[in-house]
């Protein structure tokens, strides 16, 4: 295949998020000719404020509004820009828990996967995208969650982030556009933003990728690329959608998973939320893998989104926020429950995602919501507002008993920022889309290397896992294919 400049290309990488950027960088630094295409634009971190309306319009798919349908509904967000989800998330970082890796080996037959073997891949990624604990004292809002856990005798941690902190308390986010993508370009890789691949087909031992690109004049024009090796790294929804459009359907798009979360807003008797605070970093781990808890960005706009339409008795959310926002924080409980499918629909550009929850899974989230309220009252909260229409405001620990024992399927309160597992890897071909290192079963030269491959929810923020698995897989691919 030839790239836009006419050079011969060894590998086409579709997607520039954590999986795609790590894959493309390692290949380019090993001397291979690589073209990485990205459906979204190339928007530097400094161009738009983080968690702003401008960022949502520039960097999110559908301006941050994607919805999985079914008996229950779940809204999720998806990055659509150079760097993918790493550009829009908070950068909380974990290595994969060993019990998760053990489960993948046992149930999915993933070869050569354990914590000792993964450690060099985590370390290699962490040398490029720096992982650090907050410099100085975490925010008061974050510490309230930790205090609540301590008061209950629960295990809680301060989570490091993909940020390089400066001495003045600020820091540089370690997203893909600030770390791996510059290394990819410096190694001679080529990047084509605003380029959408609609389908793949096999022709004379090569993969042909057909799609379109928006040129400098804003005109979308058809493009076609040829390569012996293609890595699909479009994300856990878009990768199965692309493969299914291309006629590849075996175990693809049948097992999409999320980390569904339910949020509350807690009010305290003192300031916990200051404009210059670092992002909250504490998480409660006591109940994992059933559910975990954390705290979220809580500026007035986010508080408004969380509370609008959920306060009982006609209380106006914006009046409350205007008066009290510095004393308020958003907290969440999340789990790995629910399973979804990804299907393309005639006439629609984006795929249709259908999600389903068992009653026991909805009870797990309800239990997590009650435990979260317990932690916040133990930390000194005056009121806790569940962000679910029709739920009561909790004014004391005794009010926790007013919460339902299960979430109603129609509550419409579930959201997620973590999406994975739609094309699981492993040697159990009855349930896996790709082998233990991402090669699509039955498709020579076609690989998946993004969150789609993760066999189940990670129960921790997944970006570290995605990066390390991508690094592991691309090293194996180069050893197997190019040597």
């Amino acid at each position: 295949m030839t790239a836009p400049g006419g050079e011969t290309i060894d590998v086409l990488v579709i997607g520039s998020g954590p999986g795609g950027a790590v894959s493309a960088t390692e290949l380019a630094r090993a001397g291979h000719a690589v073209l990485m295409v990205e459906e979204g634009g190339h928007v530097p971190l400094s161009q738009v404020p983080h968690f702003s309306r401008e960022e949502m319009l520039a960097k999110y798919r559908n301006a941050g509004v994607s919805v999985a349908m079914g008996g229950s509904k779940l809204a999720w967000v998806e990055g659509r820009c150079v760097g993918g989800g790493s550009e829009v998330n908070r950068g909380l970082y974990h290595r994969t828990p060993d019990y998760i890796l053990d489960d993948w080996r046992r149930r999915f037959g993933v070869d050569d996967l354990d914590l000792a073997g993964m450690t060099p891949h985590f370390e290699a990624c962490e040398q490029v995208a720096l992982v650090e604990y907050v410099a100085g004292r975490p925010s008061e809002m974050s510490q309230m969650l930790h205090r609540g856990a301590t008061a209950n005798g629960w295990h809680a941690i301060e989570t490091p982030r993909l940020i390089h902190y400066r001495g003045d308390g600020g820091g540089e986010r370690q997203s893909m556009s600030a770390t791996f993508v510059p290394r990819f370009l410096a190694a001679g890789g080529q990047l084509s933003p605003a380029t959408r691949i609609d389908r793949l087909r096999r022709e004379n031992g090569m993969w042909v990728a057909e799609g379109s690109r928006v040129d400098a004049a804003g005109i979308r024009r058809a493009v076609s690329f040829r390569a012996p090796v293609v890595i699909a790294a479009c994300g856990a929804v878009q990768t199965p959608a692309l493969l299914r459009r291309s006629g590849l359907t075996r175990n693809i798009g049948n097992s999409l998973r999320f980390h569904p979360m339910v949020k509350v807003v807690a009010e305290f008797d003192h300031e916990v939320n200051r404009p210059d605070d670092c992002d909250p970093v504490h998480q409660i781990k006591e109940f994992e893998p059933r559910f975990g808890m954390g705290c979220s960005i809580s500026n007035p706009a986010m508080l408004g989104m969380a509370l609008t339409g959920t306060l009982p008795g006609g209380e106006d959310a914006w009046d409350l926020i205007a008066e009290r926002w510095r004393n308020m924080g958003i907290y969440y409980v999340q789990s790995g429950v629910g399973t979804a499918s990804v299907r393309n629909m005639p006439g629609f550009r984006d795929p249709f995602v259908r999600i389903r929850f068992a009653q026991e899974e909805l009870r797990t989230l309800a239990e997590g919501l009650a435990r979260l309220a317990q932690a916040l009252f133990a930390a000194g909260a005056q009121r806790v507002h569940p962000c679910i229409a029709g739920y009561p405001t909790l004014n004391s620990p005794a009010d926790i008993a007013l919460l339902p024992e299960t979430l109603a399927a129609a509550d419409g309160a579930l959201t997620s920022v973590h999406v994975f597992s739609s094309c699981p890897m492993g040697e159990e071909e009855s349930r896996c889309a790709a082998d233990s290192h991402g090669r699509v079963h039955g498709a020579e030269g076609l690989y998946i290397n993004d969150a789609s491959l993760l066999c189940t929810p990670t129960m921790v923020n997944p970006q570290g896992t995605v990066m390390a698995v991508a690094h592991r897989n691309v090293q194996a691919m180069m050893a197997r294919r190019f040597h």
Side-chain angles (χ1 to χ4, degrees):
M1 149 195 170
T2 57
E7 298 86 358
T8 299
I9 294 300
D10 299 323
V11 184
L12 173 67
V13 178
I14 306 172
S16 64
V22 170
S23 301
T25 300
E26 291 304 300
L27 286 160
R29 286 171 58 83
H32 302 291
V34 185
L35 172 65
M36 180 165 59
V37 301
E38 165 58 48
E39 184 180 1
H42 194 175
V43 185
L45 289 175
S46 60
Q47 186 166 318
V48 293
H50 201 22
F51 296 115
S52 66
R53 176 180 180 275
E54 293 79 10
E55 184 185 63
M56 294 180 74
L57 294 174
K59 295 187 176 184
Y60 287 68
R61 185 176 299 277
N62 301 324
V65 182
S66 296
V67 180
M69 308 298 288
S72 297
K73 297 178 178 61
L74 179 145
W76 85 92
V77 296
E78 190 178 352
R80 182 178 171 271
C81 58
V82 171
S86 74
E87 306 299 308
V88 300
N89 66 29
R90 293 200 291 134
L92 296 171
Y93 184 89
H94 296 267
R95 295 184 179 184
T96 323
D98 54 0
Y99 68 84
I100 295 290
L101 299 177
D102 291 343
D103 181 58
W104 294 357
R105 286 200 314 275
R106 184 178 67 256
R107 292 202 293 132
F108 294 83
V110 184
D111 293 338
D112 302 321
L113 186 74
D114 57 32
L115 194 57
M118 286 296 294
T119 296
H121 302 293
F122 283 111
E123 291 175 343
C125 293
E126 292 160 8
Q127 289 174 4
V128 180
L130 302 179
V131 178
E132 299 179 3
Y133 287 91
V134 65
R137 180 182 174 88
S139 69
E140 180 71 1
M141 186 179 78
S142 183
Q143 292 190 73
M144 297 308 286
L145 187 68
H146 187 267
R147 290 171 195 162
T150 300
N152 282 290
W154 299 345
H155 176 53
I157 66 168
E158 178 185 337
T159 306
R161 297 176 64 202
L162 285 155
I163 287 190
H164 179 43
Y165 287 101
R166 302 188 303 264
D168 61 1
E172 287 82 39
R173 290 165 52 204
Q174 301 290 285
S175 71
M176 295 300 100
S177 72
T179 55
F180 278 92
V181 172
R183 286 169 68 90
F184 167 70
L185 296 173
Q190 297 184 73
L191 175 65
S192 180
T195 302
R196 175 184 168 91
I197 302 301
D198 292 315
R199 64 189 52 83
L200 301 168
R201 58 183 175 85
R202 191 77 168 157
E203 182 180 275
N204 297 327
M206 302 282 279
W207 287 100
V208 180
E210 299 173 331
S212 59
R213 179 171 54 226
V214 178
D215 65 18
I219 300 171
R220 183 170 290 279
R221 302 185 186 278
V223 293
S224 179
F225 307 112
R226 297 173 65 86
V229 176
V230 170
I231 297 175
C234 320
V237 173
Q238 302 304 322
T239 285
L242 169 62
L243 297 181
R244 294 187 71 89
R245 289 195 302 267
S246 306
L248 298 161
T249 60
R250 186 181 180 189
N251 300 324
I252 290 171
N254 300 333
S255 55
L256 181 69
R257 303 289 296 273
F258 298 89
H259 277 159
M261 70 170 71
V262 180
K263 296 180 179 178
V264 305
V265 173
E267 288 186 64
F268 296 93
D269 63 359
H270 64 285
E271 277 196 9
V272 298
N273 190 1
R274 303 178 183 91
D276 57 349
D277 280 345
C278 293
D279 288 354
V281 292
H282 284 100
Q283 296 178 329
I284 295 177
K285 299 293 186 180
E286 179 72 18
F287 304 98
E288 292 183 359
R290 295 185 64 238
F291 53 81
M293 307 174 209
C295 31
S296 190
I297 299 296
S298 300
N299 60 37
M302 293 294 184
L303 287 164
M305 292 174 62
L307 287 177
T308 296
T310 67
L311 294 180
E315 187 173 6
D316 185 87
W318 292 102
D319 287 346
L320 177 64
I321 292 164
E323 179 182 352
R324 299 271 295 166
W325 74 269
R326 289 177 180 267
N327 291 46
M328 302 167 77
I330 300 173
Y331 299 85
Y332 63 83
V333 58
Q334 72 175 18
S335 186
V337 299
T339 303
S341 60
V342 180
R343 295 293 186 270
N344 296 299
M345 303 289 287
F348 289 85
R349 187 176 183 86
D350 286 333
F352 179 74
V353 176
R354 181 185 296 276
I355 193 165
R356 56 194 178 276
F357 293 93
Q359 280 299 110
E360 182 59 35
E361 294 176 325
L362 295 173
R363 281 193 288 272
T364 296
L365 282 168
E367 179 188 343
L369 178 62
R371 293 288 194 176
L372 177 59
Q374 180 182 342
L376 293 170
F377 279 119
Q382 295 178 310
R383 295 201 296 176
V384 175
H385 306 278
C387 300
I388 306 175
Y391 275 47
T393 290
L394 310 180
N395 295 292
S396 71
D399 287 347
I400 296 174
L402 301 174
L403 295 173
E405 293 184 357
T406 184
L407 296 184
D411 278 340
L414 299 179
T415 61
S416 183
V417 294
H418 302 156
V419 191
F420 24 61
S421 306
S422 55
C423 305
M425 62 181 172
E427 305 307 319
E428 291 288 341
E429 293 194 29
S430 63
R431 67 189 312 179
C432 297
D435 71 10
S436 295
H437 295 92
R439 184 177 65 82
V440 176
H441 288 302
E444 178 64 29
L446 179 60
Y447 294 80
I448 301 169
N449 218 11
D450 62 10
S452 308
L453 286 180
L454 309 186
C455 302
T456 65
T458 56
M459 297 314 303
V460 296
N461 304 74
Q463 184 174 326
T465 301
V466 174
M467 294 165 63
V469 167
H471 190 274
R472 163 191 180 268
N473 290 354
V474 79
Q475 297 298 327
M477 185 188 84
M478 288 191 291
R480 179 166 55 183
R481 186 173 184 94
F482 294 114
H483 290 88

